[in-house]
Amino acid sequence: MIEKVGFVLELVGVASAAISGTMVAIEKKCDAFGVVFLAIITALGGGVLRDTMIGHLPPRMFTSYAYIVTALFFSLTVFLTALRHHERYHAAKDKLDHINNWFDAVGLAAFTVAGVDLTIAAIGMEAPLTPILLGLVTGIGGGVLRDV
């Protein structure tokens, strides 16, 4: 049951983080490859770090294509919409920054809870600080990788 809750939360986080990563990439004037790359790193980086740390190899993003497909779908949807409505997209910069903050917050919350749940399912509660720290890594890992 915990795995299913974690999976759903991760998909919500992937969608939110992919949108956030796409909006940052557009702001940095990346091309289509750069936009998709940053969206995927933002959406999946924290989970890859967590999976590697708990010994779940290969990481889930490589064994369940739902993660990549979700990130690609939301990234390309935002990118193509911004490309098609270029002037309106850039004219609403302040409003979009506020929206981007919301997507960041939703992604952070979903990934953190999913990270804690998946870590508990994998290694239990023998060391109670471990799920908390790996939840943190899951929540912020992709954003940190994107910003680097």
Side-chain angles (χ1 to χ4, degrees):
M1 177 66 180
I2 289 177
E3 291 267 342
K4 287 185 180 185
V5 171
F7 180 71
V8 170
L9 284 171
E10 280 199 320
L11 287 182
V12 169
V14 165
S16 299
I19 291 169
S20 173
T22 299
M23 293 174 75
V24 169
I26 291 169
E27 182 181 318
K28 300 293 183 188
K29 299 181 183 348
C30 291
D31 61 2
F33 176 79
V35 168
V36 170
F37 179 78
L38 282 180
I40 289 174
I41 288 297
T42 306
L44 303 174
V48 169
L49 293 172
R50 178 209 55 236
D51 286 350
T52 303
M53 288 180 192
I54 63 174
H56 189 282
L57 298 172
R60 286 173 179 83
M61 79 168 271
F62 298 114
T63 59
S64 175
Y65 295 115
Y67 297 111
I68 294 268
V69 169
T70 302
L72 283 172
F73 173 78
F74 284 96
S75 176
L76 291 173
T77 300
V78 171
F79 178 66
L80 294 173
T81 300
L83 193 62
R84 185 159 194 236
H85 304 287
H86 181 75
E87 291 81 24
R88 286 189 2 210
Y89 183 87
H90 290 288
K93 175 100 175 71
D94 291 337
K95 185 184 243 184
L96 290 172
D97 283 343
H98 183 70
I99 292 169
N100 191 25
N101 287 338
W102 278 99
F103 281 114
D104 267 343
V106 168
L108 175 62
F111 281 145
T112 301
V113 172
V116 170
D117 284 346
L118 291 169
T119 302
I120 290 170
I123 64 170
M125 286 294 294
E126 293 172 16
L129 193 56
T130 302
I132 294 168
L133 293 175
L134 290 181
L136 178 66
V137 166
T138 307
I140 66 169
V144 169
L145 290 172
R146 175 201 63 210
D147 292 345
V148 169

